[in-house]
């Protein structure tokens, strides 16, 4: 089965072709970073317009690279949500129209399920069940993953997502957008121990929130940085030290909560995905943790940590192969709880 995947939930246009026999055949990504740079963040209307410009040429390029004709495509998958409404609608309308024209089934994918399954595109893929840490610009989730579509949230952020905290802190430090890679880069020259930023909600396992001990809070971390720089001029070394100390605090919190979650689920596998999983400090720290407690840890390749079409094509393949069919009408879901997904 060969599936075309479309990802247009935010500021990246991702397209890929996944084949159940041959694996990933081709994938292309067009990043809108330059378009939004001057605004310090994603401008939704500009994002939608750029997806419209880029999606079809990317589909053409992927089809050519994979030497695939429309008759050879067995299904189409697009991101239905969560994300920016207008951006999602571009992928939804395009995916549905192509499926109609090519007379093949089409399925709408939950963006975080795409991230969740992305490590399965790598050699030695994880198998269900496992515990997952999903960390992106919009989400920070710990979840118990029993099977495809059977997900129970163990903890989530009560305020900013961890990627959002990286982005906001980078903005405070004048490091630009997107903040995650910028902070990680600046941190390379910095002293991780110079500032001890708070590790919110790690002092005790019995903190507030819907999931005692496993929820997160990252807005205080960003505020601590804001307070620190309020009365002092920034210079490159100070920026690097703050970036390194901030990254250390964020990584600490994520690692502590992963350990607690694994104690709770007794799972032997930890899957880590989403944009922030590209972070090398986080990867190294979770590798250490996995060795310490005897758990295998799985990441996507760095390129597929952030948004991409391959994860949507793959999730689409799994759902279409399991017989999921949807009617011709379509919608986008800017907000969508991952626990509402259909199990297969
Ligand atoms: O998954 P993603 O590409 O888009 C969303 O679904 O949100 O994640 C983007 C987020 C941004 O907040 C970005 O700053 C963060 O992932 N990110 C990183 C790194 N690369 C991307 N955060 C920390 N370190 C990185 N190397
Ligand atoms: Zn994402």
């Amino acid at each position: 089965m060969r599936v075309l995947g479309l990802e247009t939930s935010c500021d990246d246009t991702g397209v890929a072709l996944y084949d159940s026999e041959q694996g990933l055949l081709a994938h292309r990504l067009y990043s809108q970073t330059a378009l939004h740079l001057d605004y310090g963040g994603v401008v939704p209307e500009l994002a939608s317009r750029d997806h419209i410009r880029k999606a079809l040429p990317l589909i053409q390029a992927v089809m050519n690279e994979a030497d695939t004709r429309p008759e050879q495509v067995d299904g189409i998958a697009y991101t239905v949500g969560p994300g920016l409404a207008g951006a999602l609608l571009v992928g939804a309308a395009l995916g549905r129209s192509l499926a109609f024209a090519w007379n093949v089934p089409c399925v709408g994918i939950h963006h975080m399920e795409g991230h969740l399954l992305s490590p399965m595109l790598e050699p030695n893929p994880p198998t269900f069940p496992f515990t997952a840490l999903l960390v992106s610009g919009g989400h920070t989730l710990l979840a118990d993953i029993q099977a495809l579509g059977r997900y129970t949230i163990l903890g989530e952020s009560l305020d900013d997502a961890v990627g959002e905290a990286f982005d906001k802190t980078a903005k405070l430090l004048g490091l630009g957008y997107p903040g995650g890679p910028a902070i990680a880069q600046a941190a390379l020259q910095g002293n991780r121990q110079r500032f001890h930023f708070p590790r919110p909600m790690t002092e005790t396992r019995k903190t507030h929130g819907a999931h005692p001990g496993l929820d997160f809070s990252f807005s205080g971390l960003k505020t601590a940085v804001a307070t620190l720089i309020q009365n002092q001029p920034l210079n490159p070394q100070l920026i690097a030290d703050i970036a390194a100390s901030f990254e250390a605090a964020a990584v600490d919190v994520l690692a502590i909560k992963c350990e607690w979650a694994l104690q709770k689920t007794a799972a032997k596998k930890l899957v880590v995905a989403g944009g922030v999983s590209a972070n090398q400090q986080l990867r190294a720290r979770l590798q250490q943790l996995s060795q310490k407690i005897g758990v295998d840890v799985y990441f996507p390749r760095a390129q597929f940590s952030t948004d991409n079409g391959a994860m949507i094509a793959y999730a689409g393949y799994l759902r279409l192969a399991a017989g999921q069919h949807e009617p011709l009408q379509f919608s986008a879901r800017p907000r969508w709880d991952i626990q509402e997904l259909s199990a297969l």
Side-chain angles (χ1 to χ4, degrees):
M1 177 183 252
R2 197 168 284 196
V3 176
L4 178 71
L6 309 175
E7 157 61 39
T8 66
S9 68
C10 190
D11 59 344
D12 291 309
T13 317
V15 177
L17 263 174
Y18 179 84
D19 184 284
S20 53
E21 305 297 317
Q22 299 169 52
L24 196 58
L25 299 179
H27 60 91
R28 290 279 172 110
L29 186 84
Y30 178 81
S31 163
Q32 301 179 356
T33 300
L35 179 69
H36 302 287
L37 204 58
D38 290 345
Y39 304 92
V42 180
V43 184
E45 178 60 24
L46 294 184
S48 312
R49 292 185 204 175
D50 216 33
H51 286 308
I52 292 172
R53 279 191 289 268
K54 298 299 177 343
L56 274 170
L58 282 178
I59 292 171
Q60 195 76 65
V62 163
M63 297 282 284
N64 288 345
E65 190 184 325
D67 202 13
T68 297
R69 296 183 310 280
E71 314 82 90
Q72 294 171 288
V73 175
D74 302 298
I76 296 182
Y78 62 89
T79 305
V80 99
L84 304 171
L88 290 166
L89 277 171
V90 176
L94 199 51
R96 278 284 164 204
S97 307
L98 281 177
F100 184 66
W102 295 349
N103 196 25
V104 292
C106 189
V107 67
I109 297 298
H110 191 293
H111 181 75
M112 297 314 289
E113 179 176 72
H115 279 304
L116 173 73
L117 303 175
S118 62
M120 294 185 179
L121 289 163
E122 305 307 321
N124 182 30
T127 51
F128 300 116
F130 50 77
T131 294
L133 173 71
L134 300 179
V135 277
S136 70
H139 293 82
T140 312
L141 289 178
L142 270 166
D144 176 27
I145 307 302
Q146 297 111 42
L148 186 67
R150 294 173 62 91
Y151 312 139
T152 308
I153 292 178
L154 303 168
E156 60 193 319
S157 183
L158 304 179
D159 41 54
D160 293 351
V162 61
E164 194 179 350
F166 270 91
D167 294 337
K168 287 179 174 172
T169 302
K171 207 169 184 174
L172 287 171
L173 298 176
L175 290 175
Y177 155 89
I183 295 250
Q185 182 65 31
L188 293 175
Q189 322 300 331
N191 174 357
R192 307 165 58 78
Q193 268 128 36
R194 174 152 171 210
F195 302 106
H196 188 81
F197 291 126
R199 272 68 171 158
M201 300 178 75
T202 60
E203 305 78 16
T204 158
R205 293 184 70 157
K206 297 228 181 314
T207 39
H208 53 288
H211 314 278
L214 294 177
D215 283 327
F216 303 84
S217 167
F218 286 102
S219 69
L221 189 49
K222 164 208 68 197
T223 309
V225 173
T227 310
L228 177 74
I229 63 176
Q230 219 163 30
N231 297 316
Q232 50 184 327
L234 289 171
N235 63 59
Q237 192 55 53
L238 180 60
I239 290 172
D241 290 345
I242 295 174
S245 302
F246 166 86
E247 188 182 46
V251 166
D252 250 8
V253 171
L254 295 172
I256 291 167
K257 300 278 172 167
C258 280
E259 186 166 4
W260 290 357
L262 288 162
Q263 283 164 2
K264 181 173 172 139
T265 60
K268 287 285 154 217
K269 283 168 259 178
L270 174 66
V271 163
V272 188
V276 181
S277 75
N279 188 277
Q280 293 301 329
Q281 296 291 332
L282 178 66
R283 287 187 177 224
R285 183 64 188 278
L286 293 177
Q287 292 282 7
Q288 276 169 16
L289 173 69
S290 79
Q291 276 157 21
K292 184 180 102 179
I293 62 176
V295 162
D296 291 326
V297 63
Y298 300 86
F299 301 95
R301 71 190 79 164
Q303 187 188 16
F304 290 165
S305 279
T306 45
D307 293 348
N308 64 84
M311 66 186 195
I312 302 303
Y314 181 68
Y317 152 65
L318 290 182
R319 288 193 167 271
L320 289 165
Q324 185 167 334
H325 286 283
E326 287 176 2
L328 276 177
Q329 83 235 26
F330 69 90
S331 64
R333 298 186 65 172
R335 293 173 181 277
W336 190 8
D337 185 340
I338 196 170
Q339 293 173 121
E340 289 172 14
L341 290 187
S342 57
L344 295 174

